[in-house]
Amino acid sequence: MKLLLIGVDGVRLDVALPAALARHTGFAEPDHPADPRFRAEEPAAPGPEMPRHEEPAAPTLARLLEGGEILPVWMTPPTDSGPGWASLLTGTTHEQNNVWWNEFVGHRLARTPDILSRIFFADPRSRTFAASTWDALVDASSAGPVIHQRVDQQAGGQHQLMKATDFSRGCHSADVQVRGHAAWVLNHEGPDASFVYFEGVDEAGHAHGAASPEYREAIAAADEHVRYLVKAVSERHEQLGEDWLIAVVTDHGHKPEGGHGEDEVDVRRSFLLLHHVGSEAGRERVRCVVTGRGPLRSEDVTPLLLELLGVTEARWEAGHEVGALHDTPSVGPTRNLDHEW
Ligand SMILES: [Zn+2]
């Protein structure tokens, strides 16, 4: 089974796919408390009312959910993109990877390999691919990156990385560029595991708020990007018989007036949407593994995807000291404004 993991930044499920909230009782409220340092302050004035739509803003996601599965994912504040994607893509907590903000100060990403790397190291024959609008996920000269470079594998054609460069229309044009490149690679090369990331929804959330028509339109645009990618791998199943696991995840929601980073329920609520393209046996395997699962935390997403793929990692015996840090305790940021410059 091959993996296509699609990351769409800043998506509220109640806008994208409102009916999905009824699919799991775990969507109602967070499964774990937030650190009080990241508690949201009372707003000075009430935000705009969220418009009520029965129709999903994301028809492709709705179609993926038909015959697919969805699990709640509760993000652990701070609900910024850096810590969110670092946890989702490496299967580690903020304390373990030490990513707390989008600046990645003091991160331990070299010690917390991403899901693509873990798949590669489980079987070095596997080919991996990542494409992203946000450079911090894939670019060596960025603040991160979360996805490891693995230059040896790049030289050997086992690993490909692509970052967007066309920001002539902001994240919209960049997302279109990522979509075009990713759809080509998926369709023609069929990597064994891929991660493709879109940022336009988050940009619209910051600019206009989650209650705005622009936010809803941005989700529809991202949904169309997802459709291109699904089409690319579905064609490979149709013509080559390959089995594909498609997974869609987000890192946080947005407040009605826009913004995220703290502990509001609508900001912390994420989801993992799973859809299998291929044999009935593969679909049944996904259903069996997912059925009865409670809500996930961000760091549970990578282990679950590895389990679904059947990836077993080599490991030392429990209690080993390899890789253990004894020097710098991770305490996270103080939120003391004296340190803001
Ligand atoms: Zn984000």
Side-chain angles (χ1 to χ4, degrees):
M1 195 190 299
K2 296 184 180 229
L3 172 68
L4 167 58
L5 174 59
I6 304 172
V8 189
D9 202 297
V11 174
R12 278 181 68 142
L13 190 62
D14 60 326
V15 178
L17 207 51
L21 293 173
R23 290 273 297 242
H24 198 295
T25 55
F27 276 118
E29 56 186 38
D31 73 320
H32 64 291
D35 185 321
R37 284 177 296 178
F38 309 114
R39 193 167 290 151
E41 289 174 15
E42 282 297 316
E49 189 106 348
M50 286 297 292
R52 295 254 166 258
H53 292 274
E54 295 290 317
E55 285 296 303
T60 305
L61 296 192
R63 197 173 155 198
L64 288 172
L65 186 56
E66 284 175 28
E69 310 288 336
I70 194 164
L71 288 173
V73 179
W74 287 103
M75 305 302 291
T76 304
T79 50
D80 279 351
S81 303
W85 290 110
S87 286
L88 290 165
L89 294 173
T90 67
T92 57
T93 63
H94 305 324
E95 287 79 6
Q96 288 169 328
N97 57 47
N98 214 33
V99 177
W100 296 90
W101 308 125
N102 289 350
E103 289 79 10
F104 295 82
V105 175
H107 73 73
R108 295 180 185 145
L109 292 168
R111 292 165 177 265
T112 57
D114 61 277
I115 183 169
L116 303 184
S117 299
R118 289 169 68 174
I119 289 168
F120 172 79
F121 288 119
D123 187 341
R125 293 173 301 179
S126 53
R127 291 173 299 127
T128 54
F129 166 68
S132 176
T133 297
W134 190 24
D135 60 352
L137 300 184
V138 294
D139 183 16
S141 61
S142 74
V146 176
I147 302 287
H148 285 193
Q149 301 296 289
R150 291 193 280 118
V151 291
D152 282 2
Q153 283 88 58
Q154 286 194 56
Q158 297 294 111
H159 185 42
Q160 291 184 62
L161 294 170
M162 178 263 183
K163 66 165 181 169
T165 53
D166 178 8
F167 287 88
S168 58
R169 292 176 56 212
C171 289
H172 180 76
S173 51
D175 281 353
V176 168
Q177 187 186 22
V178 166
R179 170 185 90 184
H181 184 85
W184 193 95
V185 172
L186 288 164
N187 189 247
H188 293 280
E189 301 184 4
D192 299 294
S194 300
F195 171 64
V196 184
Y197 166 92
F198 300 111
E199 195 177 342
V201 175
D202 188 55
E203 183 181 59
H206 283 292
H208 306 285
S212 68
E214 289 88 349
Y215 181 75
R216 193 175 169 82
E217 286 160 17
I219 288 181
D223 185 76
E224 182 66 0
H225 303 332
V226 171
R227 189 180 68 79
Y228 268 70
L229 306 186
V230 172
K231 179 178 170 62
V233 303
S234 294
E235 284 177 353
R236 284 191 72 90
H237 167 67
E238 186 180 14
Q239 296 189 26
L240 304 170
E242 292 174 350
D243 265 27
W244 283 83
L245 176 63
I246 299 167
V248 185
V249 70
T250 191
D251 59 334
H252 52 74
H254 258 280
K255 293 187 277 191
E257 66 274 28
H260 55 85
E262 290 161 326
D263 71 344
E264 296 92 342
V265 168
D266 289 318
V267 168
R268 288 187 64 189
R269 186 188 292 116
S270 173
F271 60 90
L272 178 65
L273 173 56
L274 299 164
H275 185 97
H276 180 268
V277 175
S279 65
E280 181 53 41
R283 196 170 309 133
E284 187 57 30
R285 172 176 166 72
V286 173
R287 199 177 302 132
C288 281
V289 170
V290 168
T291 298
R293 293 268 176 149
L296 307 176
R297 300 182 186 184
S298 51
E299 63 269 23
D300 300 330
V301 169
T302 280
L304 177 59
L305 293 174
L306 293 175
E307 181 183 343
L308 286 165
L309 294 174
V311 172
T312 312
E313 296 173 278
R315 56 176 63 251
W316 296 70
E317 293 300 315
H320 72 81
E321 293 212 344
V322 176
L325 281 175
H326 299 285
D327 48 5
T328 317
S330 173
V331 294
T334 62
R335 304 215 93 187
N336 180 343
L337 293 180
D338 290 345
H339 303 308
E340 292 292 330
W341 294 88

